[in-house]
Amino acid sequence: MDFLHDSFAVEIATYDEWKERSRKSNFFELVYVLDGTGYQMVNQMQFPYATNGIFLLPAAKCHSYKVKERSCFLFVRFTGSYFIPGPTDVVDYSSWFSRLNFIFGHHDYHPGELVEDPADKAQLKSLLDVILQEYQRKDICSAFIIQNTLVSVLAVICRNIQKKKLDGRRFTDTRFADLINFISFNIMDVEKLSVPNLSKQFHIAETYFSEYFRRNADERFQDYVMKLRLKIAESRALYTDTALQHIASELGFTDSSHMNRMMKKFYGKGMRQIRAGA
């Protein structure tokens, strides 16, 4: 039985043998293995799962599970409205939309455990246990508690993706690593990513900012930001059914044609080719 909300759905399901599920979500699904063993199947690749395993997959990705021992799963499906504040929301969740796009832009969606760091995995398990308890309780405050807990869940996921993204990279200027992280987590905010704001935030002379960035990143600041937005656009095209025009608008492109031209310029493929998996 689903716990349905405007912005997410929580489901617990037990299988002796895997059966296809109806999954309606614009974004992704978080899977927490409550009990059992078997294999997670993603595009003909497989990875073993066991109790307390945690996985993250985009809803449009073809995946299933080969059940070895009777398995119980907690599924959390995110929808686009999770990050759009409603009229009765106490907390403005719109800022967390950047976290979602960070995940889309940097997560590889390969089969396997989502979090490798033992401390973070333990923390994520504790947060998912809170969601499980509220799912079972289903009282008047449960949806609110689940929604707020999911904010923390996404923060832990982002931190681990961030660690993997920067693994092996060495910066002679630690301030530049902080700058890269700031850009990644605020990629949707044009004002925050303006040169005047970044210069002020990181104490870099505005007239020197472009040279500073190129010297540390080996590419222009404008190109770096553009390519990051395009990687998000690529993931949205591959793993959601969101209209290309809507993706372009959300990511700050003039229109879908502008996004398409930039994608061809930097990556040699158009958006329709990418969506078709060509």
Side-chain angles (χ1 to χ4, degrees):
M1 180 178 178
D2 279 6
F3 185 116
L4 297 173
H5 185 267
D6 290 342
S7 54
F8 62 85
V10 179
E11 175 191 1
I12 292 179
T14 301
Y15 297 96
D16 291 303
E17 182 178 348
W18 182 255
K19 296 178 182 177
E20 288 300 318
R21 298 163 49 241
S22 174
R23 296 173 296 119
K24 294 180 179 179
S25 170
N26 290 329
F27 292 107
F28 52 73
E29 183 173 69
L30 188 65
V31 183
Y32 178 29
V33 183
L34 299 175
D35 195 25
T37 61
Y39 294 91
Q40 179 194 56
M41 316 292 291
V42 182
N43 285 358
Q44 299 180 342
M45 293 187 293
Q46 68 177 30
F47 189 91
Y49 71 77
T51 301
N52 295 328
I54 301 169
F55 308 95
L56 180 69
L57 290 170
K61 194 84 168 182
C62 175
H63 71 280
S64 62
Y65 297 85
K66 184 186 294 184
V67 177
K68 184 177 177 182
E69 296 177 339
R70 188 177 192 185
S71 300
C72 184
F73 301 91
L74 170 70
F75 300 103
V76 181
R77 297 193 302 276
F78 295 85
T79 69
S81 59
Y82 180 77
F83 296 90
I84 301 173
T88 60
D89 282 345
V90 177
V91 180
D92 181 359
Y93 289 98
S94 58
S95 63
W96 287 91
F97 194 73
S98 292
R99 265 57 179 176
L100 174 66
N101 280 292
F102 179 84
I103 292 170
F104 262 104
H106 297 96
H107 186 38
D108 56 20
Y109 299 112
H110 291 162
E113 287 280 357
L114 173 62
V115 174
E116 295 177 358
D117 180 83
D120 275 350
K121 185 173 181 180
Q123 186 176 28
L124 192 56
K125 180 183 180 301
S126 296
L127 291 167
L128 290 170
D129 284 338
V130 170
I131 293 172
L132 174 61
Q133 290 165 17
E134 291 302 324
Y135 169 89
Q136 294 169 334
R137 189 167 181 171
K138 291 185 176 68
D139 72 10
I140 193 169
C141 293
S142 291
F144 178 76
I145 293 171
I146 290 173
Q147 190 175 35
N148 279 273
T149 305
L150 287 173
V151 172
S152 298
V153 165
L154 289 173
V156 175
I157 293 171
C158 283
R159 179 165 65 188
N160 277 266
I161 293 173
Q162 182 185 37
K163 286 177 182 177
K164 290 179 182 178
K165 175 175 175 280
L166 295 177
D167 185 41
R169 295 188 65 179
R170 297 289 181 267
F171 298 105
T172 56
D173 186 345
T174 56
R175 176 177 52 174
F176 186 71
D178 293 337
L179 172 61
I180 290 296
N181 287 337
F182 184 87
I183 292 170
S184 293
F185 281 110
N186 293 281
I187 193 63
M188 302 292 290
D189 195 320
V190 175
E191 185 176 333
K192 284 185 178 180
L193 295 193
S194 67
V195 171
N197 182 67
L198 291 172
S199 298
K200 181 179 179 181
Q201 183 91 8
F202 292 93
H203 308 291
I204 303 166
E206 191 173 334
T207 54
Y208 175 60
F209 182 87
S210 294
E211 182 182 340
Y212 170 82
F213 192 92
R214 188 187 297 111
R215 178 164 55 82
N216 283 277
D218 293 324
E219 65 181 319
R220 297 193 316 149
F221 168 67
Q222 293 86 348
D223 289 346
Y224 181 86
V225 171
M226 177 60 72
K227 287 195 287 187
L228 183 52
R229 285 182 173 144
L230 289 171
K231 290 302 291 181
I232 294 168
E234 178 186 34
S235 291
R236 295 283 297 278
L238 281 170
Y239 303 130
T240 79
D241 57 5
T242 306
L244 297 182
Q245 180 61 48
H246 190 62
I247 295 173
S249 176
E250 285 187 340
L251 291 174
F253 293 96
T254 306
D255 52 32
S256 58
S257 295
H258 177 215
M259 179 174 66
N260 197 56
R261 287 197 305 274
M262 292 299 101
M263 187 66 80
K264 285 182 177 179
K265 175 182 176 181
F266 285 99
Y267 295 109
K269 283 187 178 183
M271 291 297 293
R272 294 190 186 281
Q273 284 179 281
I274 289 169
R275 172 149 279 175

